[in-house]
Amino acid sequence: EEKGEAEKQRYLEVIIEETERMGKLVNTLLDLSSLETGAAQLRPERFDFVEFLETVAGRLLMDTPDADFELRYELPEEPVYVHTDRNRMEQVLNNLIVNAKRNVRPGGILKLSLIEHDDILDFTIFNQGAPIPQGNLSKIWTKFYCDRNSKNSGSGLGLAIVAQILSMQCLTYGVTNQSNGVSFYFSIPVVE
């Protein structure tokens, strides 16, 4: 009898987990849809992108007990100000960092860099790991695209949201395969 109860409890937990996952997925889809249709407006403000990145990355990458990678930073010493939608850029960073963390090879390097030049701030996130097959490079920004060969693929919405938010602001972004991993990048104008 007890065994039956325990099993029932386990099934309930699985159902709750799946329901929460579906709920998140639906919300993410609705969010993407409102960005695509222009229903979601951007609310730009001026803020220091260096501190912003440190905060967002710190929350996602520090103190993760299961972290099996070497974290490296290359950031400006001074504040660098940008004028953009802070919440939306947080989504962009979240999605890119989670993606890199998911795909970094065990014990590999995950590196964040911000480099300022000619009034432009270049953000790059690199993860050591398998390259993205050449034929898939252009597809990774599309909705629901998941690498079937990757055991780590997500919902296929994270990068679509990144692309949508960055292109709404006419910001340059992309992905390149390196000899030992993958780099995602975007550039954002610096303001005084």
Side-chain angles (χ1 to χ4, degrees):
E1 193 55 38
E2 291 239 327
K3 187 169 170 275
E5 278 307 308
E7 205 163 294
K8 217 184 279 181
Q9 191 57 40
R10 202 170 54 84
Y11 282 130
L12 278 175
E13 280 163 20
V14 169
I15 290 168
I16 289 166
E17 255 172 54
E18 283 301 303
T19 309
E20 282 172 359
R21 204 172 61 84
M22 288 303 291
K24 277 193 191 127
L25 199 59
V26 169
N27 285 337
T28 307
L29 258 179
L30 289 171
D31 188 36
L32 182 56
S33 167
S34 70
L35 285 167
E36 287 172 341
T37 57
Q41 296 300 308
L42 295 175
R43 297 187 178 78
E45 58 180 291
R46 178 181 175 272
F47 61 94
D48 168 16
F49 204 83
V50 182
E51 187 196 9
F52 174 66
L53 173 60
E54 283 176 336
T55 307
V56 176
R59 195 183 63 235
L60 290 167
L61 298 172
M62 299 297 174
D63 304 326
T64 37
D66 57 339
D68 184 11
F69 56 83
E70 182 192 327
L71 183 57
R72 294 186 188 171
Y73 279 101
E74 182 184 356
L75 303 175
E77 298 292 313
E78 304 293 312
V80 179
Y81 290 93
V82 298
H83 189 256
T84 180
D85 186 314
R86 197 184 181 115
N87 291 338
R88 289 297 177 182
M89 290 311 280
E90 186 170 340
Q91 259 182 304
V92 166
L93 290 180
N94 269 335
N95 289 346
L96 290 177
I97 291 169
V98 165
N99 182 62
K101 194 170 147 182
R102 194 185 279 146
N103 291 296
V104 66
R105 68 168 173 71
I109 292 165
L110 195 157
K111 184 181 177 189
L112 292 165
S113 61
L114 276 182
I115 295 168
E116 185 188 1
H117 64 95
D118 310 322
D119 295 329
I120 294 288
L121 188 59
D122 288 331
F123 166 87
T124 308
I125 183 164
F126 164 79
N127 67 272
Q128 259 186 337
I132 298 167
Q134 208 53 40
N136 299 354
L137 274 175
S138 57
K139 299 178 195 157
I140 61 170
W141 306 103
T142 53
K143 263 192 296 216
F144 299 127
Y145 176 74
C146 292
D147 182 356
R148 295 279 163 246
N149 306 321
S150 166
K151 60 184 190 319
N152 296 327
S153 64
S155 67
L157 292 173
L159 292 175
I161 286 178
V162 167
Q164 186 65 36
I165 291 169
L166 295 174
S167 39
M168 278 170 87
Q169 303 178 80
C170 305
L171 301 179
T172 313
Y173 66 91
V175 58
T176 50
N177 281 319
Q178 311 292 341
S179 59
N180 61 343
V182 179
S183 285
F184 282 84
Y185 61 86
F186 64 81
S187 300
I188 189 165
V190 172
V191 297
E192 283 305 307

